[in-house]
Amino acid sequence: TQFACVFSALIHDVDHTGVPNTTLVQENCHLAQVYKGRSVAEQNSVDVAWELFMDESFVDLRSVICATNEELLRFRELVVNSVMATDIMDKELKALRNARWEKAFSGVESAIDESPSLLLNRKATIVIEHLLQASDVAHTMQHWHVYRAWNERLFREMTVAYREGRAEKDPVEFWYQGEMGFFDFYIIPLAEKLKDCGVFGVSSDEYLNYAEMNRREWEAKGREVVESMVQKLEQELGPAAVPPQQAPVMEEPSNST
């Protein structure tokens, strides 16, 4: 189980295309058709990684991880469930995860017909899901310079997608405020849940503290950071083209003398 968590964290973004699932679905690309528009990037990452893992060159590795076919099937089940947990935009999956969390950690006594092993398995499942979510956004819970480095990479990725016509909005228009909301409504609540379940022990406080500090520093410096990232990208990629609706209207030459 522990190795399944590590393996899932390593492969959860394999073969990522640089655009979110919503874009893949809107473009009706091959992957969106294969996975019927649900958790497209995540399912593709699992399939790509699993195909490599099952290659004959990794027979010895598989035999160490999974001694029997039953263990292999259980390992795959853990990997699939863990990677799917990183699709935080699927409202249905999110609602199911939240319901499991409330049932496992709300402090309210569970139904008397539930066995201790069932309760333990539910807690383990939800903790693993949140571990993978934390791995997906781990930069936000580390030192400011680590957060900044990965945030800039994401900004670049999304800016390139916009310039290629694969995104409707220029990231510069929403990046500062968007990060504020991301911290307030996802990152800090996630860090608080990790602290509540105690999965990281004393380090849980550290992750929450870093998340809160990065949020405060972003609020103070974020606008300047966005400006510097834009300048850096323009030096690398050239100035952004003026959108058609913003293009200046050329006046007709006057015929008067």
Side-chain angles (χ1 to χ4, degrees), residues 60-120:
D60 291 340
L61 175 63
R62 290 197 302 276
S63 67
V64 172
I65 299 171
C66 309
T68 65
N69 189 55
E70 289 74 17
E71 289 184 359
L72 181 65
L73 292 175
R74 175 57 177 162
F75 180 73
R76 176 176 170 81
E77 180 183 354
L78 286 169
V79 170
V80 171
N81 290 341
S82 299
V83 175
M84 291 307 104
T86 63
D87 182 3
I88 63 174
M89 302 308 293
D90 188 305
K91 294 181 179 180
E92 182 178 338
L93 291 177
K94 186 175 185 295
L96 290 172
R97 287 193 295 269
N98 288 341
R100 284 197 295 271
W101 176 273
E102 287 300 318
K103 197 168 186 178
F105 293 102
S106 64
V108 178
E109 292 188 9
S110 301
I112 58 175
D113 60 338
E114 290 189 339
S115 66
S117 62
L118 180 61
L119 296 175
L120 183 61

Side-chain angles (χ1 to χ4, degrees), residues 36-80:
K36 304 185 187 307
R38 297 297 301 274
S39 302
V40 177
E42 292 77 17
Q43 292 199 70
N44 179 57
S45 292
V46 170
D47 284 348
V48 170
W50 194 259
E51 182 178 359
L52 180 60
F53 179 66
M54 295 301 293
D55 188 85
E56 63 180 12
S57 60
F58 294 113
V59 170
D60 291 340
L61 175 63
R62 290 197 302 276
S63 67
V64 172
I65 299 171
C66 309
T68 65
N69 189 55
E70 289 74 17
E71 289 184 359
L72 181 65
L73 292 175
R74 175 57 177 162
F75 180 73
R76 176 176 170 81
E77 180 183 354
L78 286 169
V79 170
V80 171

Side-chain angles (χ1 to χ4, degrees), residues 124-188:
T125 298
I126 196 65
V127 167
I128 289 172
E129 289 176 345
H130 283 72
L131 276 174
L132 263 292
Q133 290 176 358
S135 76
D136 191 35
V137 294
H139 64 292
T140 63
M141 303 179 197
Q142 298 182 62
H143 192 276
W144 169 255
H145 77 272
V146 176
Y147 162 66
R148 275 279 293 107
W150 289 100
N151 180 262
E152 183 170 357
R153 285 168 171 77
L154 180 59
F155 181 80
R156 183 190 188 283
E157 183 178 90
M158 294 183 68
T159 299
V160 169
Y162 172 73
R163 291 192 178 198
E164 292 176 347
R166 304 186 72 191
E168 295 180 358
K169 291 185 178 181
D170 187 342
V172 72
E173 297 176 8
F174 59 82
W175 203 258
Y176 171 76
Q177 205 61 43
E179 285 295 290
M180 296 282 287
F182 194 44
F183 274 111
D184 289 341
F185 299 110
Y186 183 70
I187 298 302
I188 292 176

